[in-house]
Amino acid sequence: MEMAQLGADLYRLDGRVAVVTGAARGIGETIARQLGALGATVVLTDLNPEVEATARRLADEGLGTEALVFDVTDVAAVGAAADKIVARHGRVDALVANAGISLERQAVDHSAEDWRRVMALNLDAVFFTTQAFARPMLSQGKGAVVLISSISGVGISRPERHVSYDVSKAGVAHMARSLGVEWAKSGVRVNAVGPGYTDTEMLADVGRSRPEVMQAWLADIPTGRLLRREEIAAVVGFLLSDAASGVTGHLMMADHGYSVG
Ligand SMILES: NC(=O)c1ccc[n+]([C@@H]2O[C@H](COP(=O)([O-])OP(=O)(O)OC[C@H]3O[C@@H](n4cnc5c(N)ncnc54)[C@H](O)[C@@H]3O)[C@@H](O)[C@H]2O)c1
């Protein structure tokens, strides 16, 4: 069947198998919900076994979801998860490498363990997860990957300090460029999304415990409000769909203009 060139169907993900890491809660959970709403079968993965309850909740909403518990920093576990998903579904069409942490700490107070912990999850695991799930996509000759970067990958946000996070997220954006070009002829696209401050539980905590920090953030965001998780998920859905067939190696900011304002 010839692919539609225009129209709403281009944005759909019907029949696709999509894998989302860090999907037990937060932005990852909302991305999984959006991909499911676009018609994909979504495998929600997380280190936290609560991801099983999250996947059940989404399935109760009528979405095609299932869960897989593994640690993305364990390269062997990631490979085994990819094998399991391919054995079950016969293919993988989309990956969202979303699991990540931020460690708020002055540069001089970073221990070697602090630095490694952030890099192990935000950079090493993003690479090896992408490698493992891209293998079946490369064999199929089609697939799409979205890596979750941040406003911290293109600029230095204020007033909090987290050099390890900033460097890791800049690395993620450049990984998308490098892999996007390396795999361009193979039909596998790789892009990154850079969220601004988003309405997650983590940020709600900051609003409660350090209202002056929240005030500083809101003053710096051109719209004067936090991103909704749905605003990140919609961009991810677009980049994974055939509507974005012309887009690879790109960092798309979803930040209400924070990084340019
Ligand atoms: N919240 C924001 O404002 C914001 C802004 C920019 C970028 N981001 C990025 O978006 C992504 C999601 O952020 P969030 O706020 O939803 O985070 P979150 O902490 O709410 O969720 C992260 C999820 O990743 C999982 N996880 C952690 N370590 C893991 C591991 N080793 N293996 C598998 N899963 C693991 C956690 O269990 C959790 O469910 C992160 O990469 C973050 O850096 C967030």
Side-chain angles (χ1 to χ4, degrees), residues 39-174:
T41 297
V42 188
V43 186
L44 288 83
T45 76
D46 208 290
L47 176 64
N48 183 344
E50 275 181 30
V51 72
E52 289 171 351
T54 308
R56 270 198 306 277
R57 211 167 45 244
L58 300 195
D60 289 345
E61 293 172 18
L63 305 177
T65 52
E66 56 192 64
L68 202 55
V69 176
F70 63 92
D71 180 346
V72 288
T73 65
D74 177 344
V75 178
V78 171
D83 290 347
K84 202 166 175 179
I85 292 168
V86 170
R88 187 175 158 94
H89 294 283
R91 57 188 299 110
V92 178
D93 301 288
L95 167 72
V96 184
N98 163 77
I101 42 160
S102 167
L103 189 67
E104 198 177 328
R105 195 149 301 175
Q106 298 289 317
V108 290
D109 295 329
H110 266 71
S111 67
E113 290 72 27
D114 291 339
W115 183 265
R116 275 278 12 112
R117 198 174 129 224
V118 174
M119 294 304 157
L121 179 59
N122 292 11
L123 208 48
D124 304 359
V126 168
F127 176 70
F128 287 108
T129 306
T130 303
Q131 183 193 58
F133 286 95
R135 283 194 177 112
M137 296 182 199
L138 291 164
S139 316
Q140 291 158 200
K142 184 166 178 185
V145 179
V146 168
L147 313 179
I148 301 300
S149 178
S150 167
I151 43 174
S152 302
V154 290
I156 306 304
S157 47
R158 313 166 276 283
E160 73 284 11
R161 294 286 166 242
H162 37 50
V163 60
S164 50
Y165 184 72
D166 300 348
V167 171
S168 70
K169 292 298 184 179
V172 161
H174 212 56

Side-chain angles (χ1 to χ4, degrees), residues 6 13 15 19 38 59 92 129 139 142 154 160 163 174 180 188 199-200 208 210 213 218-220 222 236 241:
L6 287 172
L13 298 173
V19 178
L38 289 170
V92 178
T129 306
S139 316
K142 184 166 178 185
V154 290
E160 73 284 11
V163 60
H174 212 56
V188 177
D199 66 344
T200 51
R208 284 188 289 268
R210 290 182 293 164
V213 171
L218 293 174
D220 268 355
V236 173
S241 77

